[in-house]
Amino acid sequence: MLSDLFIIGLIGGVVAVDTTEMGQFMISLPIFSSVLLGYLLNNIEVGVYMGVLMVLPWLKLIPAGGAIYHHGNIGSLTATATSILVLKNYLSSIDTIIFLSVIYGIIL
């Protein structure tokens, strides 16, 4: 569990820095960061599913030039981490967990 939290914190830091401060390698897009987190936490199916779902609201907002970029990437990474950890630790319906995680990520 502690190693999972360390991985989530490390990926979250890279995503937060990649948004504006670092080279903007687009790792911070939910489709990439969620899949990477899913791979590192041994649940790539949920990572891909959450990445596709969480990239849709922010698909039209590309940080190019002087565009203001909304920080939906931290919310999507949090939603992905929440859904993976809940599914790993509790036996529950995957549809309910994914739905609640997506709502939580959009609000965040």
Side-chain angles (χ1 to χ4, degrees), residues 5 10 20 23 25 28 33 53 55 70 75 82 86 93 102 107:
L5 295 177
L10 186 67
T20 54
F25 297 112
S28 62
S33 61
L53 285 176
V55 80
H70 300 280
T82 302
V86 167
S93 171
V102 167
I107 290 172

Side-chain angles (χ1 to χ4, degrees), residues 11-22:
I11 298 298
V14 168
V15 164
V17 170
D18 184 57
T19 302
T20 54
E21 288 81 14
M22 207 167 66

